[in-house]
Amino acid sequence: MYRKGKLYFRYGTMGSAKTAMLLTTAYNFEERDMDYICMKPVIDTRESKNVIRSRIGIERECRWIYPATNLYEFVRELYRTEHRVVEWFLIDEAQFLSEQQVDQLSRVVDDFGCNVICYGLRTDFQSHMFEGSRRLFEIADTIDEIKSTCNCGRKTIINARIDANGNFVQEGAQVEIGGNDRYVAVCRKCWRNKRIEQSRRDSLPFADIDHETEECTSCN
């Protein structure tokens, strides 16, 4: 293969329009009659059918990526059976890929000359990197940040997990699928301040709470 492909990683926090950008790119490729395939890890179970759907309501059919899927073999089988070398692969929720699957995508780029664009999160709700994202940072040819803004005006960095009361959740499994009801994107300072606020509130002894309440009553 003499084509030159690239492995791209485009990352951002939740709500930064990553999926909308993927779907817009797919639409543009279709308009230009370019060969592409949309794919997505099956771990995202919010959809009952194989589609990539944006929060703004647009969607497109995709192929599932299972934990056992060998992406290099998938592309090689396409070439073997259909004599098809796909020009562009668009991967949503790339943070859920395994390290091995990211390496397989890099081989697809190097051996077949395909272009692969991976869209995903950088870190989880505890600010730790996902496996797939870490590997993409290590070996991607091009890395682009899709920026969004916190309520305070700073750049969002943290995908904070929240409970039913809007409190930040600090423990739990790394992967828990959810939307606006479970996650909110915030800057590092707001994430830290909120956690400190919750910690202080939870650690207040009842005596102090009663005392503060009495003082407030007397002030009134």
Side-chain angles (χ1 to χ4, degrees), residues 96-128:
F96 295 139
L97 296 173
S98 68
E99 178 178 337
Q100 291 74 23
Q101 287 172 327
V102 175
D103 287 342
Q104 291 158 12
L105 289 174
S106 70
R107 289 187 62 200
V108 168
V109 171
D110 296 340
D111 293 357
F112 291 93
C114 304
N115 293 286
V116 178
I117 309 180
C118 294
Y119 297 81
L121 304 174
R122 177 174 63 175
T123 58
D124 62 19
F125 73 105
Q126 293 179 319
S127 75
H128 301 148

Side-chain angles (χ1 to χ4, degrees), residues 12 24 28 31 45 53 68 72 75 77 79 83 87 99 104-106 111 123-124 129 144 160 163 177 179 191 194 219:
T24 300
N28 289 333
E31 287 286 294
T45 56
R53 178 178 287 119
Y72 184 81
V75 175
E77 187 65 19
Y79 180 69
H83 303 289
E87 190 171 357
E99 178 178 337
Q104 291 158 12
L105 289 174
S106 70
D111 293 357
T123 58
D124 62 19
M129 271 197 181
D144 299 307
D163 62 19
I177 304 302
W191 181 64
K194 179 73 170 179
C219 287

Side-chain angles (χ1 to χ4, degrees), residues 5 15 18 22 29 45 84 86 88 91 151 153 156 163 204 215:
K18 301 181 300 300
L22 182 155
F29 287 167
T45 56
R84 178 185 179 190
V86 178
W88 292 89
I91 314 292
N151 288 337
T156 59
D163 62 19
L204 283 174
E215 287 184 345

